[in-house]
């Protein structure tokens, strides 16, 4: 099958794929709250190339094509074909193909991937903290952390910076921490900084086996949902170290 590619803004249009408003209401989802949260996280990276295939969102992230199979109804019955199309797109882009599967969605996809030579690349969870109740307490407790500041980005997005390092991505009252491997005291500083800057909700991507780390629980986080990422075993060495 031949594909024609064109780039419109940050969305790649490929023959055989159709565009879908990923911020609209999902269809036939099983774990709808998790799907809504994944949509919010995806929307924080508007500068990354994005493609939609029957409800599967493909996004170029750190040298790889990450596939978010969000909408169960669209993928049901098309799983083998969709996997092949995603693989072809990743080959055209010269990047590895990683499937990120949220718990209680696309029950059969992990089995199809395993049968086609994929292995578990990583797993983790998304933790959530609601600051609307404890914001005042956080602002009063201790002093404001030194070294954290907000840097403006595109489309209303801001970045929480520690020197030259991006710690979090902020949009309005929502903050996402893409790397949850932060020290305990560092998390307290981030929560205090967030409360002082009008952030009401924090999400953290936390690598692990599904248990919420103690320091997160102590700071008021809860386990939102678990996910697994699958990649073809022969691609791990080829693309694992690319940025």
């Amino acid at each position: 099958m031949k594909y024609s590619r064109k780039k419109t803004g940050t969305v790649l249009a490929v023959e055989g794929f159709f565009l879908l408003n990923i911020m609209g209401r999902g269809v036939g989802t099983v774990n709808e709250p998790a799907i809504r949260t994944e949509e919010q996280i995806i929307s924080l990276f508007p500068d990354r190339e994005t493609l939609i295939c029957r409800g599967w969102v493909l996004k170029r992230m750190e040298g790889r094509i990450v596939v978010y199979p969000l909408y169960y109804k669209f993928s049901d019955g098309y799983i083998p074909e969709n996997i092949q199309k995603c693989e072809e797109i990743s080959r055209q882009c010269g990047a590895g193909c990683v499937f990120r599967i949220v718990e209680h969605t696309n029950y059969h996809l992990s089995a199809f991937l395993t049968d086609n030579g994929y292995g578990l690349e990583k797993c983790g969870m998304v933790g959530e903290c609601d600051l609307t109740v404890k914001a005042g307490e956080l602002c009063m407790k201790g002093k404001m952390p030194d070294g954290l500041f907000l840097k403006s980005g595109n489309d209303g997005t801001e970045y929480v910076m520690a020197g030259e390092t991006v710690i979090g991505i902020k949009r309005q009252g929502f903050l996402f921490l893409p790397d949850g491997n932060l020290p305990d005291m560092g998390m307290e500083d981030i929560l205090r900084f967030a409360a002082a800057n009008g952030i009401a909700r924090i999400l953290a991507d936390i690598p692990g086996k599904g248990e919420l780390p103690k320091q997160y629980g102590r700071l008021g986080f809860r386990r939102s949902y678990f996910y697994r990422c699958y990649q073809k075993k022969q691609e791990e060495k080829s693309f694992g170290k690319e940025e």
Side-chain angles (χ1 to χ4, degrees):
M1 181 180 295
K2 294 183 178 180
Y3 294 87
S4 60
R5 298 177 58 188
K6 63 181 179 179
K7 189 172 181 182
T8 306
T10 59
V11 178
L12 289 175
V14 179
E15 184 181 347
F17 288 74
F18 63 87
L19 298 182
L20 178 70
N21 178 8
I22 67 173
M23 294 308 294
R25 179 173 177 78
V27 181
T29 58
V30 178
N31 188 358
E32 189 163 335
I35 296 300
R36 294 289 154 265
T37 301
E38 288 282 279
E39 288 177 334
Q40 284 187 294
I41 293 172
I42 292 170
S43 72
L44 293 174
F45 300 91
D47 57 328
R48 309 293 176 86
E49 293 176 341
T50 304
L51 182 116
I52 313 296
C53 172
R54 296 186 180 127
W56 290 17
V57 181
L58 286 74
K59 207 163 187 73
R60 184 188 283 272
M61 304 286 286
E62 298 178 352
R64 307 186 299 179
I65 301 299
V66 180
V67 182
Y68 299 83
L70 297 184
Y71 305 107
Y72 183 79
K73 180 176 180 180
F74 286 113
S75 61
D76 187 21
Y78 295 98
I79 290 177
E81 181 182 347
N82 282 9
I83 291 173
Q84 291 176 3
K85 288 184 177 181
C86 292
E87 290 175 341
E88 184 168 347
I89 293 299
S90 68
R91 285 194 297 269
Q92 291 179 353
C93 295
C97 188
V98 177
F99 290 80
R100 174 173 164 130
I101 306 175
V102 172
E103 64 181 343
H104 307 312
T105 61
N106 280 289
Y107 291 108
H108 306 295
L109 179 54
S110 58
F112 275 100
L113 291 170
T114 301
D115 291 343
N116 283 275
Y118 283 79
L120 186 63
E121 188 253 347
K122 81 166 189 174
C123 56
M125 75 170 67
V126 172
E128 181 174 359
C129 183
D130 183 355
L131 292 180
T132 56
V133 176
K134 56 192 304 185
E137 176 186 344
L138 285 168
C139 289
M140 294 296 294
K141 181 181 176 182
K143 64 177 183 178
M144 283 297 297
D146 295 326
L148 294 180
F149 62 95
L150 285 174
K151 180 180 179 180
S152 297
N154 298 323
D155 301 320
T157 300
E158 296 178 286
Y159 299 94
V160 178
M161 308 292 297
E164 297 296 321
T165 303
V166 175
I167 300 297
I169 305 170
K170 176 184 179 292
R171 179 170 292 174
Q172 297 178 342
F174 166 59
L175 175 66
F176 174 59
L177 306 176
D179 183 0
N181 282 326
L182 294 169
D184 194 9
M185 185 54 66
M187 278 304 307
E188 288 187 356
D189 287 344
I190 289 171
L191 261 66
R192 196 173 297 115
F193 180 85
N197 284 275
I199 294 169
R201 181 177 179 231
I202 300 178
L203 295 175
D205 194 316
I206 309 168
K209 299 296 184 181
E211 296 294 328
L212 187 71
K214 291 182 180 180
Q215 66 267 29
Y216 277 93
R218 182 177 62 80
L219 293 171
F221 279 79
R222 67 174 183 85
R223 179 187 185 278
S224 185
Y225 57 88
F226 183 69
Y227 68 86
R228 293 182 175 88
C229 293
Y230 292 85
Q231 185 175 15
K232 272 202 171 174
K233 295 176 182 178
Q234 64 266 32
E235 289 182 347
E236 292 177 2
K237 293 182 180 180
S238 300
F239 299 103
K241 295 183 180 180
E242 288 190 12
E243 296 183 355

